[in-house]
Every structure is written in C-alpha cells, then in structure tokens.
Amino acid sequence: MSRVLVAGGTVVGAEGSVRADVLVDGETIVALLAPGTELAAAAAAGAERTVDATGKLVLPGGIDVHTHMEMPFGGTFSHDTFETGTVAAAWGGTTTIVDFAIQSKGSTLGAALDAWHAKADGNCAVDYGFHMIVSDVNDTTLKEMDTMLGEGISSFKLFMAYPGVFYSTDGEILQAMQKAADTGATIMMHAENGIAIDVLVAQALARGHTDPRFHGVTRPSALEGEATFRAIQLAKVAGSPVYFVHLSATEALVEVARARADNGNVWAETCPQYLYLTDDAMEGPGFEGSKYVCSPPIRPAGHGAHLWRGLATETLSVVSTDHCPFCFKEQKELGVGDFSKIPNGLPGVEHRMNLIHAGVAAGHLSTERFVELTAAAPARLFGMYPRKGVVAPGSDADIVVYDPAATDTISATTHHMNVDYSAFEGQTVTGRVDTVLSRGSFVIDGGRFVGRAGHGRFVRRGLNQMLR
Ligand code: URP
Ligand code: ZN
Ligand code: ZN
C-alpha cells in the first residue's frame, strides 16, 4: 500500500506528545498534519487507506536490541527461528530487533556474521540488525572489529561470565575496549564474575544441590555488582563506551548510577523479567523452576523496585527482552538432576511493549519515557536514529497504533512465540497493540497477522549517537 493516513491519534515521542495525523507514503513517514485542517482532509482524500486512531496512541515501532533467535546453547538451540520470533515481535508492536551473531572460539567474526545472515536473511517479518559476540579476543578479531563497522555492526558483546565458552579475561576486555575507543564502537557487557560463579556451582553440585533454585543461589547479585564495577573501570582506562546488558541487581545499578553521574559513556538496559519476577519463581513444584533460569538470574524481591526507579530516573536507558526461548519439555529438561545444564534464557519478545506500558498504568513511567525506553533510546544508542525510533517526517514508517486503555492477559495458550510456556503466564497488562506498520506495510491489522517472512530488511547500523 503506498499512501496511508493514521488519523486522529496522539503521536508519542520521547520528547512529548501531540495530536496529529500521520501521512505515510511508501516506506516512509512524509508528514505530521494538524487534525481537522485542510491539509489533513486533502491527505485523507489522497490516501488509499485511513486508519482510525481516535483515542489511541501512535507510537514508533518498538526496538528490541537484545534477542537470541536460533541461538546455540548447551547442546540445543533457542526455539524461535528468525521467522517465528519476528512474527511474535510484530504481534507485540516491535518492528526492529537486534540479535547477536556469535563468534565461536577459534573462528572469525566474519564467519559468525555470514552464519547469522544465512539464518535471518529472507526470513524476518520485521527489520533486524546484529550485534557481534566476541568469544575470542585476538589480533585477528581485533582487526575484524574495524571491518565489522562497514557491515553495519557497531556493537560488540563481551562476557565476564561463562568461562571456557564466551568468557574474556580482563586483559582481553581491555584490548577490545581500546579498539572500541579508537573506532567509536560500543562494548556491550555481560557483567557477572564467571570465575567465582563456577566455583559456587561446583560446590553446590558437590553438596547435591541440583534443583533449579540453585542457579540463583550460585550467581549472587554481589558478583554482578563486582563485575559491573570492574568493567566500568576498564572502560574508563580504555576510554571506551560501555553498555551493560540485562542488568538485574541493585548492586550493579548503583555502579552504573555512579559512573553516569561522573559523565561516563556508560549505559544499561534491564528486561521485564527483572522488573516483574522474583527468585521464588525458581522454587516452583517439580522442575517448573527451570522455566525461569536465565543469567543473570531472577533476583530476590526488592531489586525490581530499584530497577523501576532506575528506569524513571535515567540510570537505566533501555528495556530489551534478552528473548532466548527454550521449551520446558526436552530443552529446559536437559537440566533435570543438574541445574547447571538448564539452557539459560527466557521468552519475551512479544510482551515487552505491553509489560513496560503496564509500568505507565502503574505510575512508574510517563508515556513519553515508555517510548524512549522501548524505541527512541535503543535507536540512538545503536545508530539507527532518526530512521527508527521516532514518528517524524523522513523516518521509516514503523508505526504502532496502541490502545492504552485495553487490557490483556498474557498466556502461552495465546502467544505467538514458538515456546511451550510463558514466563508471565496469567499476568494482566494495560495496553494493547491494534495495528502495526513496518516500513509502511501492514503487519498486524484488525487482530490478524498480515505480514510476511522476508519483508524484514537488514539494518546497517551506525555508531552510538549518545556519546558524551
Ligand atoms: O540467560 C540468558 N541471558 N541467555 C542468553 C544469553 C545471554 O547471556 O544473554
Ligand atoms: Zn548475556
Ligand atoms: Zn542475551
């Protein structure tokens, strides 16, 4: 469809909200028009379709900068393909994902990028980009961090956890950060002290503590706080920007707040599971607790309230999902009798927008901050703004018509993610996605998915646009 008018709604951006009709031509937003004016009437007359957004919010399409589709982990793969995962994303009002290509130890970043393009290209229902996980920092990969920029990969994830798999030493982290300081790339950090955690895991298993809840016990929040502090110091020495992924703990939040108050190029995201769930979830009957095993782990009560406050006060900059779904049957069950073998990760890409909008209804956030956290800030931090993350002339027509008053109940029986449970089963949220356009094409329309796998296009990202 070439000309679409989204009429009568309230357009929400990070900086404010305005009543406006949004005119789309082809893949692009061409104008915001004052409703009821001659110009708006002319636009309506010339449009092939008018979407009535009266009483609704008109949001920039959500951007989830942390997903893992078809990710290899512990002898299995996360269960959403790029097709099923991006269809689920669209249902939830997310029109861009940034997934992680993974360099295997001994291989190259180039090979990882090729492998992830092979999985995603032609299969995505919405737009997608990649970060790069660097598992092997060496002279070759450090050079490849330069060439990756030309491929639209401007962010590199390093792990202080998972020794022997993804883990990098402090020296390797420093070298990668020095490279990022030279090029303007952003280092993304999984901050948990994996060396200490591995000792605690071995000790727990030796005592016969094999249930899922010991996943949480052996990854204490102090070890996330310690790793966060250490990474901030390394970034300061290197002069590099650092972005903490899936921040879960008060101790880590305090470190990020301190670094940001010092004017550091330091940012962090959190995820809905850390805002809504507590470690009680891992105590469920039988092996149910395995459904909530992710790293960092779901924390005890108290951390979540601090994270909501961190979102409101700008210590935290983004909400992503870390969508990494493993079915309960046969996948999570790989860890029966040994919690350390439970594949780590939770499903969530479909429900991020509703779960964070529920924070508006609960009084934690303004509607504008909701948009900033879920679309505008991820676009700026990962080099996609203003093409993405804003409803403005010249931007891609990634638009969500959102009913802020409707309520919905999350359930695995109705979700579209390719996984047999929901981490938020039975939770009622305020807000519902009505209509979704991705680059001007209808993807969700009248309660139906009308998009197609292959519509989604690779987004070549530029550098972080929030450097101070
Ligand atoms: O448990 C998690 N978070 N799984 C995905 C991999 C990662 O560390 O982000
Ligand atoms: Zn991680
Ligand atoms: Zn992740």
Side-chain angles (χ1 to χ4, degrees):
M1 188 154 304
S2 67
R3 275 174 103 80
V4 174
L5 189 71
V6 180
T10 301
V11 177
V12 187
E15 277 90 31
S17 300
V18 63
R19 291 280 311 283
D21 296 351
V22 181
L23 182 61
V24 172
D25 193 357
E27 299 197 345
T28 310
I29 296 167
V30 290
L32 265 61
L33 305 163
T37 58
E38 270 178 36
L39 274 178
E48 285 163 50
R49 173 143 174 218
T50 297
V51 177
D52 181 8
T54 308
K56 311 271 170 64
L57 305 179
V58 180
L59 311 174
I63 302 177
D64 188 344
V65 289
H66 192 151
T67 70
H68 303 279
M69 309 300 174
E70 304 177 45
M71 186 188 97
F73 193 100
T76 187
F77 287 83
S78 60
H79 213 241
D80 264 315
T81 61
F82 277 89
E83 177 172 348
T84 63
T86 53
V87 169
W91 275 103
T94 288
T95 53
T96 307
I97 63 162
V98 187
D99 206 87
F100 288 82
I102 304 181
Q103 179 216 6
S104 322
K105 275 210 188 296
S107 184
T108 62
L109 304 190
L113 184 60
D114 289 347
W116 255 256
H117 272 301
K119 295 187 213 207
D121 294 356
N123 292 320
C124 291
V126 298
D127 288 354
Y128 60 99
F130 299 132
H131 313 285
M132 178 63 65
I133 288 177
V134 184
S135 310
D136 206 350
V137 178
N138 56 44
D139 287 348
T140 308
T141 49
L142 287 168
K143 282 203 193 82
E144 279 192 290
M145 283 175 72
D146 289 333
T147 50
M148 284 294 126
L149 295 179
E151 303 287 340
I153 314 296
S154 53
S155 38
F156 299 87
K157 183 178 176 188
L158 299 170
F159 285 76
M160 303 169 95
Y162 303 119
V165 189
F166 299 128
Y167 174 81
S168 294
T169 65
D170 288 355
E172 290 165 343
I173 290 169
L174 184 68
Q175 283 179 287
M177 285 178 162
Q178 287 169 331
K179 171 59 75 177
D182 282 351
T183 62
T186 295
I187 295 295
M188 305 174 81
M189 190 59 74
H190 180 132
E192 287 186 290
N193 183 329
I195 300 289
I197 286 168
D198 271 11
V199 171
L200 296 176
V201 169
Q203 289 171 345
L205 292 173
R207 286 188 199 113
H209 293 166
T210 60
D211 291 346
R213 74 185 183 88
F214 291 102
H215 174 77
V217 173
T218 56
R219 304 183 87 97
S221 55
L223 294 184
E224 185 181 344
E226 181 277 328
T228 305
F229 170 79
R230 189 159 30 103
I232 288 169
Q233 303 314 310
L234 292 170
K236 201 189 272 184
V237 170
S240 138
V242 60
Y243 173 97
F244 291 93
V245 290
H246 46 46
L247 187 146
S248 72
T250 304
E251 291 91 328
L253 187 71
V254 167
E255 299 302 342
V256 170
R258 207 192 325 261
R260 287 177 59 73
D262 271 0
N263 263 333
N265 277 316
V266 175
W267 304 270
E269 63 176 24
T270 191
C271 313
Q273 52 270 34
Y274 302 118
L275 295 165
Y276 282 102
L277 304 177
T278 64
D279 60 350
D280 296 348
M282 281 180 287
E283 310 236 355
F287 199 57
E288 287 286 307
S290 67
K291 292 177 175 174
Y292 302 92
V293 166
C294 57
S295 294
I298 306 296
R299 299 297 183 190
H303 292 265
H306 292 145
L307 298 180
W308 277 116
R309 194 85 203 108
L311 290 173
T313 57
E314 303 191 12
T315 298
L316 296 171
S317 303
V318 169
V319 180
S320 68
T321 58
D322 196 7
H323 175 77
C324 190
F326 296 101
C327 287
F328 178 60
K329 286 277 153 221
E330 292 177 15
Q331 292 196 297
K332 291 288 188 182
E333 283 177 349
L334 290 169
V336 172
D338 180 350
F339 70 84
S340 71
K341 296 202 162 57
I342 300 170
N344 286 198
L346 262 55
V349 74
E350 188 168 347
H351 296 121
R352 179 183 67 124
M353 299 293 275
N354 281 349
L355 284 164
I356 303 311
H357 183 265
V360 176
H364 296 304
L365 307 172
S366 67
T367 308
E368 289 77 13
R369 184 72 181 141
F370 156 65
V371 165
E372 186 163 32
L373 290 164
T374 56
R380 288 186 202 270
L381 279 162
F382 294 101
M384 294 180 273
Y385 196 87
R387 179 173 160 199
K388 307 282 189 193
V390 62
V391 176
S395 297
D396 281 358
D398 295 345
I399 296 173
V400 176
V401 179
Y402 195 78
D403 184 345
T407 54
D408 244 336
T409 302
I410 296 173
S411 175
T413 59
T414 49
H415 75 201
H416 303 86
M417 298 177 287
N418 189 26
V419 61
D420 62 1
Y421 76 96
S422 171
F424 303 99
E425 186 68 40
Q427 184 156 339
T428 299
V429 286
T430 307
R432 188 171 59 213
V433 169
D434 269 8
T435 306
V436 178
L437 283 94
S438 163
R439 282 184 287 102
S441 292
F442 283 83
V443 182
I444 302 294
D445 190 11
R448 282 184 318 125
F449 176 76
V450 295
R452 66 175 175 85
H455 163 81
R457 212 179 268 161
F458 177 66
V459 182
R460 280 176 188 277
R461 296 181 298 106
L463 297 178
N464 186 333
Q465 297 160 291
M466 286 175 87
L467 293 175
R468 332 194 223 191

